[in-house]
Amino acid sequence: MASNESTSSLLPPPNLGNLRRYSQLSLSEASLASYEVDHRMSTSSMEMNDYKRAGTIVRLHDRDDAEQWKGVKRYFYLFSPILIFTDVILYLLYLGFRLYCNIDVQRTTKINAGAAWIFFGVEFLITIPYLMNNGWAMFALKTRNRPRLRLMGSHDLPTVDVFVTCCKEDNDVIMDTARASCDQDYPQDRFRVIILDDGKSQELEQMAEEASHMWPNLIYMSREKIPGKPHHFKAGNLNFGLEQITLLPGGSAEFVAALDADMIPEPHWLRACLPHLLTDRKVAMACPPQLFYNTPRSDPIGQSLDFFVHVTEPIKDTLNAAWCTGSGYICRRSALDDIGGIPVGGIAEDVATSNLFIGKGWTTAYVHEPLQFGTVPEDFSSHLKQRSRWCIGTVENAMNMNFYLYGAKIKHMTTLARLSSFLIGILSFYPILFTISLFSLPVILILGRPLVIFTSENQFRWLIRAAFATVVSRRIMEFFLYIPAGYHTGQRYARYQIWMAPYLCISLVRAFFLPKWLGGTSGGTFKPTGSLGSALNERDAELRKGLFIRMWAILIQCQAVFHLLFVWFCITGATIVTYKCFIIELDTYHILQCMITHAWWPPVTWIFLCSSMWAPVAYAISPPTVPDREELLNRDDKTGIAHPREVTKKTAFGAQAFFFEAEYTITTVYTALCFAATFFLF
C-alpha cells in the first residue's frame, strides 16, 4: 500500500490479475455514445435483473424525482411561479403604499418620524434579497424533464475510478464508505475504488489492505506534503489522484467519481448516474443530492440540505447551471482534462469545477435520486465552520468568474445559466444587509416610537389591509413553493437563514472587507473565540457536558450571546411600549391603535425573528439526542458493509417544528383579526 508520490509505491495490491487492465476492456468514446436507451416504463418494484441485456439503458420513469414527490403535489407545484409573482407584486405595492404614507406625514405635519423610516428601511433591505430570491425561484416555471435511468448488463460497461477523499476523519467512517463503494451493483473488473488519504493514517492504510483481500479493486493512496508548498486541500488531493491513476495498469478510467469520507453510496449509484453521461456526450458531470442519516429530530439548527437539493438544484438543472454538490458526482475524464483538472486556490472546488465545465460548453446533470447518505457535523461549532466555509466558497467562485457577467471562463455559458449563478453569487452577500437591518429592530422597539405612520384613519385601515394581503399571499406561496422539499423543511430553512446570518456576516466581512491587521483572514470561516477544549458531546445523552459548560461554549465562545441579547431587547422593548400604550391612551380604540403601530404591527415580524434567533440558545439549553452512528446503520456482519436504515433517511418531525408552526399560525390569525377589525373597529 502506498503512502507517497513515487510511482513504484503505487503498484496495485497483490492478486489483482487482469482486474485493473482497463486497456483490454475499455470502451471508446464512440461506443459510449452508441448505448441504446430502452424507453420501457417500469414500476419501483421492477427487478433490474429483468433487463440484463448489455448496452441497454432502461428508462424507469419520465422523472428522476418520481419517488420524492408525486401525485397532485406535482401539479400544485406548477402554480408556484404564478404565486411567487403575485406575492412579489403585492409586497411591492405594500411597500410603495408605506413609502407614500411616510412622505405624506412628513409633508403635511413636518414631523421627522425617524423610527418609522428606520422600520421602513429594515423592510426594504430585507426585501431586496427576497425579491431577487423569489425572482430566481420563478425559473421553476421552466419544466424539468430529466428521466430516471438505469444502466443494465454486465459486459462491456464503461470503466470508473471512484475516489474516496479523506483527511483525518474517523477510520471506521471512511471504511464504511469504501466498502459500500466496492459493493456496487457493477462488474468488479470495470471500476476501482481509491482511498485518497490526506491524513496519511497508517491504521487506515492497514484497514484498506485487509479489505482489499475481499475487494481486490480497492486501492489506498496518500500524497507526500512538502512543507512550504501549497497543498490545495481537497482539490490538491483529487488532482493527486487524477495524476496517479494514469500510472496504474490500464491507465485512467473513462469516468472519475468522488465521494466524501462519510458519504455511503447506494448499491445502484453508478448504474443510476452513468446513463446521464452515456446518453449525452456533452454532459461532463452527473451529480446526485447530498442526503444525511444522522440529522436530529426537527433538525433544530438547519443542518439538512433538503431545501437546496430538492428545490434549488432542480431549478438550476433546468437552466444548465446545476452545481456539483461535493460528493457522489461522476465526471467524464476527458472533460476534466479539458478544464485542466480540479481548480485550486479556493475552498469550494466542487462549485468551481461545475462552473468551468459549463463555461467551457459542457453541460452538467443533476440526478435527483437518493443515491448517497452521509453525516452532518455532530457539534454546533463544526456546523458554523462548515456553513461559513460554504458561503465564502460561493462568493470566491462568483468573484473568480466576474459574477458570471463576462470573461473567457463563461464564454459558452447560456444567458439563463449566467443569470442564475449571478443571483446566487449576489445573494451570498445577503447576510450582511440582513444582519444590519436585524439588529436595528430592537433599537426601534426600545425607542418606543411608532413603526408605521399615517395621516388619516383611512390610510391606517388600508395599511393593515395591505399587510394582510401580503401575509396571506406569502403563506399560500410557501405551501406551494416548499412542496418538493416539504413544507416544514422550507420553514426550517427560512429560520436557519435568520439565525445564521450574523455568523455568515462576520465571515464575509473578515474574508472580503477587513484588512489583516483588523482581523481579516484569507479563509474567513467563522472561528469560536478561545478554545472549546474537549468535545461537548452535546448529542450524546450520557456523555454530553453540563448545562453551564454548554452555555459557555455556545453563548460565549460561539458568540450566540448576541442572539440572546437580540431576543431580550426585542421582548423588553415590546413590553415597555405596550405598557405605555395602556398608561397614555384613554380608550380601547386608541390603546389598540397604539399597540399595533408601536409594537404589534401585523404580522408581528419581531416574534418570528425572535423565535428564529433563539435557535442556538435553545440548542445550548436542550440539545437533541442522536443515537450512536452504529444504531443508525444496517450492517452485514460477514462483509462489514453498512447502509443507513430507512427510518434515518428522513428528518423526523418533532416538538420544535410543532412550536414553530403554532407560532406562525397564531401570528397569521392575529393578522386576519386586525384585517377584520378594519371593517368594524378602526
Side-chain angles (χ1 to χ4, degrees):
M1 295 298 168
S3 60
N4 55 51
E5 297 187 39
S6 64
T7 303
S8 60
S9 63
L10 291 173
L11 292 175
N15 302 322
L16 293 183
N18 291 324
L19 294 181
R20 298 248 169 66
R21 304 194 182 281
Y22 289 160
S23 58
Q24 300 175 11
L25 299 171
S26 61
L27 300 173
S28 65
E29 284 288 319
S31 66
L32 291 181
S34 68
Y35 267 79
E36 175 189 354
V37 179
D38 191 327
H39 291 278
R40 287 174 289 182
M41 300 298 293
S42 113
T43 63
S44 58
S45 61
M46 177 174 290
E47 293 293 334
M48 291 178 61
N49 288 331
D50 293 342
Y51 300 101
K52 284 298 182 183
R53 184 157 52 90
T56 297
I57 295 174
V58 175
R59 189 185 184 100
L60 297 180
H61 200 282
D62 286 337
R63 297 189 64 97
D64 57 358
D65 56 2
E67 291 184 7
Q68 275 73 21
W69 53 298
K70 47 192 170 184
V72 295
K73 289 183 178 181
R74 189 175 298 281
Y75 297 103
F76 284 157
Y77 184 64
L78 296 177
F79 290 99
S80 58
I82 299 172
L83 294 171
I84 290 171
F85 180 76
T86 302
D87 182 58
V88 168
I89 294 300
L90 286 174
Y91 197 69
L92 287 176
L93 289 174
Y94 166 69
L95 281 183
F97 189 44
R98 286 277 311 282
L99 178 62
Y100 166 78
C101 290
N102 281 14
I103 295 174
D104 194 36
V105 168
Q106 286 207 166
R107 180 174 55 83
T108 57
T109 66
K110 307 301 181 181
I111 295 176
N112 185 16
W117 280 109
I118 294 174
F119 187 57
F120 177 81
V122 169
E123 291 189 306
F124 180 74
L125 285 176
I126 295 175
T127 299
I128 295 174
Y130 162 76
L131 293 177
M132 293 176 66
N133 193 52
N134 277 6
W136 176 85
M138 287 183 65
F139 285 125
L141 188 62
K142 186 176 173 64
T143 304
R144 180 177 180 272
N145 291 312
R146 190 171 298 285
R148 172 171 291 194
L149 304 175
R150 287 296 181 272
L151 177 60
M152 300 304 184
S154 301
H155 305 290
D156 296 330
L157 297 183
T159 55
V160 187
D161 281 323
V162 179
F163 293 148
V164 176
T165 56
C166 55
C167 184
K168 299 181 180 179
E169 292 88 354
D170 187 278
N171 289 337
D172 291 332
V173 172
I174 299 169
M175 288 307 300
D176 279 344
T177 300
R179 293 189 194 98
S181 302
C182 291
D183 190 50
Q184 288 295 297
D185 176 24
Y186 205 78
Q188 195 178 75
D189 62 338
R190 307 304 293 169
F191 76 106
R192 296 180 291 218
V193 177
I194 300 103
I195 297 176
L196 296 176
D197 180 19
D198 242 7
K200 221 173 180 61
S201 168
Q202 293 183 354
E203 181 184 355
L204 177 61
E205 181 177 3
Q206 181 62 34
M207 294 172 73
E209 183 174 5
E210 292 174 0
S212 69
H213 297 304
M214 179 176 294
W215 296 287
N217 57 335
L218 176 63
I219 304 173
Y220 173 93
M221 293 183 183
S222 180
R223 58 176 172 157
E224 182 181 2
K225 294 182 179 179
I226 302 173
K229 182 179 179 180
H231 305 142
H232 300 300
F233 308 105
K234 184 179 176 181
N237 197 15
L238 287 167
N239 282 326
F240 167 76
L242 290 174
E243 176 187 344
Q244 294 302 311
I245 57 177
T246 62
L247 306 177
L248 295 174
S252 174
E254 295 144 299
F255 295 95
V256 177
L259 290 160
D260 280 350
D262 62 320
M263 277 288 166
I264 299 176
E266 295 289 271
H268 55 286
W269 164 54
L270 291 179
R271 290 189 181 271
C273 289
L274 280 171
H276 299 277
L277 292 149
L278 296 173
T279 54
D280 186 351
R281 294 182 63 186
K282 287 182 64 65
V283 175
M285 178 193 69
C287 186
Q290 277 201 41
L291 303 171
F292 307 97
Y293 62 88
N294 71 330
T295 308
R297 180 178 292 274
S298 288
D299 193 12
I301 54 175
Q303 292 184 279
S304 76
L305 297 176
D306 287 352
F307 189 86
F308 178 77
V309 301
H310 295 313
V311 177
T312 304
E313 272 289 80
I315 295 176
K316 288 175 63 64
D317 192 34
T318 67
L319 309 175
N320 186 31
W323 281 348
C324 171
T325 57
S327 177
Y329 59 89
I330 303 178
C331 295
R332 196 182 299 275
R333 177 63 197 245
S334 58
L336 279 172
D337 292 340
D338 186 40
I339 64 171
I342 305 296
V344 299
I347 57 178
E349 80 295 326
D350 44 5
V351 174
T353 302
S354 310
N355 287 332
L356 290 181
F357 279 146
I358 299 169
K360 272 274 193 174
W362 295 91
T363 61
T364 55
Y366 179 66
V367 184
H368 197 182
E369 294 188 53
L371 299 175
Q372 58 174 345
F373 293 88
T375 57
V376 298
E378 295 182 345
D379 62 273
F380 187 77
S381 175
S382 296
H383 175 62
L384 297 183
K385 292 177 183 178
Q386 180 194 65
R387 294 309 172 93
S388 60
R389 186 174 67 249
W390 289 354
C391 180
I392 298 303
T394 301
V395 174
E396 275 185 350
N397 276 293
M399 295 175 68
N400 290 337
M401 306 291 282
N402 300 315
F403 284 93
Y404 309 96
L405 297 175
Y406 63 93
K409 292 181 180 179
I410 60 168
K411 181 178 180 180
H412 299 285
M413 192 177 285
T414 65
T415 301
L416 287 178
R418 293 187 189 196
L419 178 60
S420 170
S421 299
F422 167 77
L423 288 176
I424 291 180
I426 291 295
L427 284 170
S428 297
F429 287 104
Y430 156 74
I432 298 177
L433 285 177
F434 184 79
T435 301
I436 294 172
S437 61
L438 184 69
F439 282 95
S440 64
L441 185 58
V443 175
I444 300 173
L445 290 172
I446 290 292
L447 288 175
R449 302 296 182 183
L451 306 177
V452 179
I453 54 177
F454 45 87
T455 57
S456 67
E457 299 300 316
N458 192 48
Q459 281 188 359
F460 174 61
R461 285 191 290 270
W462 279 105
L463 280 169
I464 292 180
R465 292 167 186 171
F468 170 75
T470 63
V471 170
V472 172
S473 68
R474 182 76 46 81
R475 290 303 304 267
I476 295 174
M477 181 269 292
E478 288 172 347
F479 274 115
F480 283 79
L481 179 61
Y482 296 161
I483 281 176
Y487 172 74
H488 292 292
T489 297
Q491 293 295 341
R492 194 164 56 238
Y493 177 70
R495 293 177 184 276
Y496 157 80
Q497 287 186 304
I498 291 170
W499 75 260
M500 192 67 189
Y503 292 114
L504 298 182
C505 175
I506 292 172
S507 299
L508 288 166
V509 170
R510 292 179 62 196
F512 300 108
F513 298 100
L514 284 184
K516 288 186 177 180
W517 60 273
L518 273 179
T521 60
S522 56
T525 56
F526 178 83
K527 294 181 180 179
T529 60
S531 173
L532 290 178
S534 59
L536 293 176
N537 291 317
E538 62 252 40
R539 298 184 185 178
D540 189 317
E542 296 181 359
L543 300 178
R544 67 170 57 116
K545 300 296 183 181
L547 176 63
F548 177 79
I549 297 177
R550 295 199 308 270
M551 295 291 283
W552 177 264
I554 294 176
L555 266 63
I556 305 302
Q557 293 180 306
C558 290
Q559 302 171 29
V561 65
F562 293 106
H563 295 68
L564 178 62
L565 291 174
F566 174 88
V567 175
W568 172 263
F569 280 110
C570 279
I571 294 176
T572 301
T575 302
I576 293 174
V577 76
T578 301
Y579 174 75
K580 285 183 177 180
C581 288
F582 277 97
I583 297 299
I584 296 173
E585 303 297 341
L586 300 177
D587 57 78
T588 302
Y589 174 85
H590 287 96
I591 289 174
L592 292 176
Q593 189 180 74
C594 174
M595 290 172 57
I596 289 174
T597 57
H598 286 70
W600 301 91
W601 183 255
V604 202
T605 303
W606 66 265
I607 291 182
F608 178 81
L609 293 175
C610 283
S611 64
S612 302
M613 290 288 281
W614 185 254
V617 183
Y619 181 88
I621 296 172
S622 180
T625 297
V626 178
D628 183 73
R629 193 179 75 91
E630 196 62 29
E631 297 179 36
L632 304 175
L633 301 170
N634 285 323
R635 186 178 299 279
D636 186 318
D637 293 333
K638 294 182 179 179
T639 62
I641 297 170
H643 286 281
R645 297 166 55 203
E646 287 301 318
V647 72
T648 68
K649 294 180 179 180
K650 292 186 177 180
T651 304
F653 184 85
Q656 187 193 62
F658 174 80
F659 168 78
F660 284 154
E661 184 55 34
E663 170 242 301
Y664 203 11
T665 301
I666 290 172
T667 56
T668 302
V669 171
Y670 166 78
T671 303
L673 291 174
C674 290
F675 170 73
T678 63
F679 295 97
F680 65 86
L681 182 60
F682 298 126

